[in-house]
Amino acid sequence: MPQIAQLADTWSSQVFWLLVFFGITFFVIGKGMVPKVMETVAQRDGQIAADLAAAKAARDAADEQEDAWRVRENENRAAAQAIVAKAKDEAAAKSEKKLKAAQTRIDKKLADAEARIGEARTAALAEVESVAVEAAQDIAQRLAGVKVTKPAAAKAVKEAMANG
Amino acid sequence: MAAEQAKVDPMYQFTIQPLGGSEGWELAGYNIAFTNSALWMLITTVVLFVFVLGGMQRQLVPGRWQMMVETFTGFIDNMLEANIGKAGRKYVPYVFSLFMFILFANLLGLLPLGIVGVHPFTFTSHFTVTGVLAIISFAIVLIVGFWKHGLHFFSLFVPHGTPLPMIPVIAPIEFISFMVRPFSLGLRLFVAMMAGHVLLEVLSSFVIDGTNAGVLWGGIVGLPSFLLMVGICALELLVAGIQAYVFALLTSLYINDAENLH
């Protein structure tokens, strides 16, 4: 077994060169290069975390804006509906007023017409009466030869018309 | 079959040889020959450097290579955070170096470079190497423990809720199990790597000897051994990863003891 057989001759060389090369490995590679490699990894991890945080923040902002937009949209819709309702009410009120005016006009016309009809009827009746009075005087004179005075005839006609 | 003895020595692969006439190099009286073992440490360091360098493009959207390196650093980072907590972060450079150094050493030692005449050397199959790594880990545990908790760190040997009369019995046991840690840590890796390589070598000697002995023995011994070798190679790749992981995991668990006493 050379490890033991050569021990006395080689141990110092083995230890020396191991210390030299492991020392180089430790100080140059371990101390010098590894921290830089790990720094890169840490940088990348930081970058990824930052990017993720930024993406999350952007998403939150978008959500917020969407919520705000929704609120605004609802407000606008409500306002629009209010305007529509108001216009409807106004239109209804206006048409009602117009209808009322028209109704009044029609009523007035009707009343006028009725009044005129009433007048005409009274006039006609008066005429019928006077004609009847004259007719009655005439009839009485021709048939009985009695000369009936106009007031008496008128009184008789009135009585007869009231009864008839 | 006396024609020639196939010379397959399963242990020869662990032999350390000085390269380029460096066997005389000394530092303060100690021999520091640049051996094949040291060469593979150098190769491991260079390959690891290139690997991690490829992961340093620092792009926000990583390429495949960068992704691979980041997977490894993330893996170590997660392991330390799971075992130690937030304080585990500062040990990432050490545990990453440890894990990757062992992993690359194990994998490079398994490369089938023998085909082109180069012999890979798995220095993690030497307990001088794994022992030093284990001692470094253990030393970190001790330093961190005493630095953070002072002498209170000795309460590590008294598990939480131990009845008072039991302390004299429990404490030595805990102490021994604590002191065994660097040995188990170093030996585990060394034994696993050595066993795997010896097994592959022994099986390959079966293949060579069996095939040399003719069609019959080649069919009975050589071919099954070869198929087994293919399977064991896959297993060894797995072991290379697992042992590196176990070493790093246990180191992080031990550091956890020191960092968060109880």
Side-chain angles (χ1 to χ4, degrees), chain A residues 1-3 5-6, chain B residues 5-17 119-121 194 196-206 208-209:
Chain A
M1 201 163 149
Q3 286 96 328
Q6 293 185 304
Chain B
Q5 186 94 29
K7 291 192 81 175
V8 179
D9 177 5
M11 286 312 198
Y12 180 71
Q13 56 177 327
F14 303 119
T15 311
I16 296 172
Q17 289 157 329
H119 290 282
F121 182 91
M194 194 186 80
H197 282 77
V198 168
L199 186 57
L200 285 176
E201 198 80 8
V202 168
L203 284 173
S204 68
S205 81
F206 287 173
I208 295 167
D209 286 347

Side-chain angles (χ1 to χ4, degrees), chain A residues 3 6 12-14 17 44, chain B residues 16 31 33 37 60 70 125:
Chain A
Q3 286 96 328
Q6 293 185 304
S12 52
S13 136
Q14 289 277 73
W17 289 112
R44 179 181 317 128
Chain B
I16 296 172
N31 178 283
S37 173
L60 201 60
E70 283 172 3
S125 63

Side-chain angles (χ1 to χ4, degrees), chain B residues 5 52 83 86 90 114 121 137 139-140 160 171 185 229-231:
Chain B
Q5 186 94 29
V52 179
N83 288 323
K86 282 282 165 222
K90 57 178 172 287
F121 182 91
S137 286
I140 288 174
H160 206 62
L185 199 57
M229 265 187 86
V230 173

Side-chain angles (χ1 to χ4, degrees), chain B residues 132-257:
Chain B
V132 169
L133 291 176
I135 287 167
I136 294 173
S137 286
F138 192 67
I140 288 174
V141 171
L142 289 181
I143 292 167
V144 170
F146 282 114
W147 188 277
K148 277 201 73 154
H149 305 288
L151 291 180
H152 194 62
F153 185 53
F154 283 114
S155 71
L156 182 68
F157 303 132
V158 182
H160 206 62
T162 311
L164 202 60
M166 292 298 283
I167 289 177
V169 185
I170 298 281
I173 295 174
E174 287 286 327
F175 179 71
I176 290 168
S177 83
F178 182 75
M179 294 310 288
V180 162
R181 282 175 179 183
F183 296 98
S184 65
L185 199 57
L187 285 177
R188 183 181 298 112
L189 176 59
F190 145 68
V191 165
M193 295 323 293
M194 194 186 80
H197 282 77
V198 168
L199 186 57
L200 285 176
E201 198 80 8
V202 168
L203 284 173
S204 68
S205 81
F206 287 173
V207 177
I208 295 167
D209 286 347
T211 313
N212 283 345
V215 178
L216 179 65
W217 289 113
I220 295 175
V221 176
L223 194 63
S225 297
F226 181 72
L227 292 176
L228 189 58
M229 265 187 86
V230 173
I232 297 227
C233 277
L235 182 70
E236 281 307 305
L237 288 174
L238 187 67
V239 168
I242 287 175
Q243 287 303 324
Y245 173 62
V246 167
F247 204 106
L249 179 67
L250 286 175
T251 297
S252 67
L253 286 177
Y254 296 160
I255 291 174
N256 177 44
D257 278 347

Side-chain angles (χ1 to χ4, degrees), chain B residues 66-78:
Chain B
Q66 192 185 343
M67 195 78 214
M68 204 150 59
V69 176
E70 283 172 3
T71 306
F72 276 113
T73 58
F75 167 68
I76 298 295
D77 189 30
N78 286 339

Side-chain angles (χ1 to χ4, degrees), chain A residues 18-34, chain B residues 41-42 44-46 48-49 52 93-94 96-102:
Chain A
L18 176 68
L19 290 179
V20 167
F21 289 120
F22 187 68
I24 291 172
T25 302
F26 175 65
F27 286 108
V28 175
I29 298 172
K31 280 276 190 193
M33 296 159 89
V34 169
Chain B
M41 292 176 197
L42 171 65
T44 300
T45 307
V46 169
L48 182 55
F49 178 80
V52 179
Y94 173 67
F96 179 84
S97 306
L98 191 67
F99 174 74
M100 296 304 274
F101 195 68
I102 295 172

